[in-house]
Amino acid sequence: MEINPDRADTLLARGYMYGESRVIVGAHWQSDVDAGRLAASAAYARLHTSERFLEQMRLARLEFRVKKGLATAAEKKEYLNAEKKRAKTGK
């Protein structure tokens, strides 16, 4: 969702429908699905307190924009520099 905001609604709807389908087919109780959504929301919020996660998310967004042909010249340059650094450090 953060990497491709234009598809956020589609991704959220798919996740919601998947959870509901688990209840419909009897694989889980509704409370199981609700608890899973709550746990996922808490984990996602916690990740956003991590500088490392936020930097990786920023780089993922940058890579997405480059690969989709949406990046500006400055973003392309930043991406190439990040790739060179990653190749050197292995990170």
Side-chain angles (χ1 to χ4, degrees), residues 3-35:
I3 293 173
N4 186 4
D6 292 340
R7 301 288 299 207
D9 290 343
T10 302
L11 290 169
L12 287 170
R14 181 178 289 178
Y16 183 83
M17 287 186 293
Y18 183 79
E20 292 305 297
S21 73
R22 303 299 292 165
V23 175
I24 291 168
V25 301
H28 297 291
W29 298 103
Q30 184 65 52
S31 60
D32 297 337
V33 173
D34 294 342

Side-chain angles (χ1 to χ4, degrees), residues 19-56:
E20 292 305 297
S21 73
R22 303 299 292 165
V23 175
I24 291 168
V25 301
H28 297 291
W29 298 103
Q30 184 65 52
S31 60
D32 297 337
V33 173
D34 294 342
R37 288 182 183 136
L38 181 61
S41 294
Y44 191 67
R46 175 66 177 90
L47 283 171
H48 280 79
T49 67
S50 165
E51 290 298 322
R52 184 172 180 213
F53 172 82
L54 294 173
E55 177 60 13
Q56 290 299 312

Side-chain angles (χ1 to χ4, degrees), residues 1 5 13 21 26 37 40 50 57 59 73 83:
M1 294 177 294
S21 73
R37 288 182 183 136
S50 165
M57 185 62 76
L59 292 172
E83 284 297 299

